[in-house]
Amino acid sequence: MRYTEIMQIIGMIAPSIFTYILASKKSNHDILKDNLNILQREIETTRLENDSLRKQVLELMSENARLKNQIKVLRKK
């Protein structure tokens, strides 16, 4: 094997080893707390995205109603 191939293999394995070492030093409680914090952040992000999408839908519905009214007016002319 060439040096670059060996370094690539080490580069692929190193993160897993690092994660294993960190995980082995943490208690289950700490790991669960970390996971809970991650999930809470994801929930908050999702909630904000949903709020934004709801606002966009309402704006589009208002625009749709306005355009329908315009079409009715134009058809009457």
Side-chain angles (χ1 to χ4, degrees), residues 50-61:
N50 285 344
D51 290 348
S52 175
L53 289 171
R54 264 191 218 97
K55 182 181 175 190
Q56 289 176 28
V57 166
L58 290 174
E59 289 170 356
L60 289 171
M61 289 171 66

Side-chain angles (χ1 to χ4, degrees), residues 3-25:
Y3 176 76
T4 55
E5 291 171 336
I6 293 171
M7 292 310 292
Q8 284 177 335
I9 292 170
I10 291 172
M12 290 186 288
I13 295 172
S16 298
I17 293 170
F18 182 71
T19 303
Y20 175 77
I21 291 169
L22 284 180
S24 65
K25 290 184 178 183

